[in-house]
Each structure stands twice: as structure tokens, then as C-alpha cells.
Amino acid sequence: MASKPADWQSMHEGRLSAMIEVVQAAGQHTLKYFGASGLVVDAKTDDSPVTVADREAEQLVRKMLGERFPDDTVQGEEFAEKTGTSSYRWVVDPIDGTKSFVCGVPLYSTLLAVECDGVVVGGAIFIPALGELIVAAVGQGSWHRKTADSAWAQASVSGKTELSTAVFVTSEVGSFAKRGNANAYARLEGDAWVTRSWGDGYGYLLVATGRADLMVDPMCNAWDVAAIMPIVEEAGGKFTDWKGEPTVRGGDGIGTNGHLHAAVLERLFD
């Protein structure tokens, strides 16, 4: 039976409760820079943007986890993996949706996941500028809080079974063409009822709470989706890579309400 996040303290030696505390602390830290004038935006080797907010938020996550779980591995977007000796690995994306962040759009997220023996056992998506938070633990459900003052409510995906009635979200339309699958986007947009680029972690949050029905990532890293898998699946949905494999390290990702998953997979390749 699913239990609320307040009852997760003893699970995985406190790691699930720590996950919730740490993701909120890191996300709150990014607000120091959100909408600030003069924010310097650097380009990484792949031309994606990065800021001091990304770096400081990830450093805060590493510091907090290092103090509590010094033997755990930590993998993040901005710094090299810190290899531990325990069976646990944390996966963090301090700002998922940096392009939204630097443009002053409040739909960026902070993502944190915890794995045990290579299997994701918990995930969290925090939308700092909105105060919205969704967390999940395997076997315990997916739980959503609209604001910091809201009560936890169990999240659930939609029940839609036809693409013609579905809301399709993605992060960036051009990424389909970059991987050589522009037609996949055209097919999904043509067959869906509504298409929007409310993507990144926020897009998956929309799927897990039933406000959207499918989210497709043509290109992604483990830190982009590790937190996503348990959140979508514990809400009753499905998460796989484009091959249909349930993995966060396939290089791409699909999160759906489950009913539409096969139909999405059918439309990805010519």
C-alpha cells in the first residue's frame, strides 16, 4: 500500500526523505539568480547554456549528500562523478531547462534521483519558481504538492486512450531533426489533439499529474530522466527509451500515461 512522503524516513536508511529535503534546498538556491539582471550565461562544449546557478545548486546537493551519505556515488550534469563505495548512487540535474531559466520562464526544474544497485528507487521534480513538487518512491506511489503550503495528493496519469484526444509535450522541436527524426515530431503533432513545448522536467510532471498525456525527449542524459522514471511509473504511467526499454540511460526518453505508449513508439521511426 502506498505511503505518504512523511512516512519514508526509514526507507533506504533515510535517503528518500533526504531526497525531498535536498532537491528543495537546491531548487530554492536557484531563485537567488532567477530573473536577475546581468546573469552571465556560459556555453558548454555542446553549446548548451550554463550559469552560476546551475553550478552552485549542484555543489549544494553534493555538499548535503556528502555530509549525510559520504559513501554514496553522486552523478551530476555540471561536475565529474564522485565515486562511492556503497550500493547507492544519486543523480542530479540542478537546473533542467536552463534555457527557460535564463529567459525568465518559471518552468525549469531541479531533479534528483536515488538508485540502489543500479535501479532507480526514488525521484523528485521541484519547480522552484512555482513551488510545485512531485516525488515518488518505488512501491509507495507518486505524490504531488502544488505549493509549499499544500497537502500531499497522490498523483495519477490520465486515462486517455486515443492520441487524437491527447496533449503531447516536448522540450525543443528542433531536437527531433538533430537526431534525424523530424518526421517523428510531425507525426506526433499531427495525431495529437494539442502540442506544446512545456518540456524538460515540467513536461514529465504534467504527464504524471494527468495534465498532459505524453512527453518525448529525442536526446537526453541520465540526469535528465533518472528522477522521471519512478515518478511517471508510480503515477500509473510508463517510461522507456525510444526502443521501448525501461532505462534512464538509453540516450532518449518517452513518458506516457501508459495507454498511449505503444502508439507513440509506432510513430517514432520511418
Side-chain angles (χ1 to χ4, degrees):
M1 184 176 178
S3 61
K4 291 185 178 181
D7 300 321
W8 295 356
Q9 297 97 324
S10 63
M11 299 177 188
H12 294 281
E13 300 174 330
R15 286 175 176 83
L16 295 177
S17 293
M19 174 186 74
I20 299 171
E21 180 182 347
V22 171
V23 77
Q24 291 181 94
Q28 289 291 342
H29 186 83
T30 68
L31 293 175
K32 291 174 54 179
Y33 299 98
F34 180 62
S37 60
L39 179 66
V40 176
V41 181
D42 299 319
K44 294 192 279 191
T45 55
D46 61 357
D47 286 332
S48 62
V50 64
T51 71
V52 64
D54 300 74
R55 298 186 182 104
E56 287 187 2
E58 183 168 324
Q59 287 171 332
L60 178 59
V61 170
R62 290 171 179 263
K63 178 177 181 294
M64 293 180 72
L65 294 177
E67 290 171 349
R68 300 187 190 190
F69 310 105
D71 296 328
D72 291 1
T73 295
V74 182
Q75 180 185 27
E77 180 173 10
E78 306 306 337
F79 301 98
E81 181 169 305
K82 174 245 176 185
T83 303
T85 56
S86 77
S87 58
Y88 289 93
R89 172 167 58 185
W90 298 84
V91 187
V92 56
D93 190 342
I95 297 181
D96 188 51
T98 300
K99 291 177 181 177
S100 293
F101 177 82
V102 300
C103 291
V105 176
L107 304 184
Y108 74 93
S109 58
T110 300
L111 309 178
L112 185 61
V114 58
E115 300 175 346
C116 182
D117 293 322
V119 177
V120 184
V121 295
I125 303 172
F126 181 43
I127 314 296
L130 302 181
E132 193 167 358
L133 174 65
I134 188 167
V135 300
V138 172
Q140 303 302 323
S142 187
W143 295 86
H144 179 228
R145 198 170 67 190
K146 292 182 179 179
T147 69
D149 298 324
S150 301
W152 288 108
Q154 194 159 6
S156 180
V157 297
S158 75
K160 293 179 183 176
T161 59
E162 301 293 333
L163 272 176
S164 60
T165 65
V167 177
F168 160 45
V169 292
T170 191
S171 298
E172 191 168 341
V173 175
S175 57
F176 285 82
K178 286 180 182 178
R179 66 163 286 158
N181 294 98
N183 289 340
Y185 175 81
R187 282 189 289 269
L188 290 169
E189 181 185 42
D191 290 344
W193 173 56
V194 171
T195 300
R196 291 291 182 267
S197 54
W198 300 320
D200 304 308
Y202 187 70
Y204 289 110
L205 185 154
L206 292 177
V207 172
T209 54
R211 289 176 281 173
D213 310 291
L214 58 138
M215 164 78 187
V216 181
D217 259 325
M219 297 181 289
C220 60
N221 296 291
W223 47 78
D224 297 309
V225 291
I228 306 307
M229 177 180 278
I231 287 172
V232 171
E233 292 184 346
E234 289 292 319
K238 188 171 183 177
F239 181 88
T240 71
D241 65 10
W242 281 34
K243 296 177 182 177
E245 297 295 326
T247 177
V248 300
R249 290 182 166 79
D252 40 40
I254 307 164
T256 75
N257 67 359
H259 305 294
L260 300 171
H261 212 84
V264 174
L265 288 170
E266 289 173 2
R267 287 161 174 78
L268 294 181
F269 301 102
D270 298 330

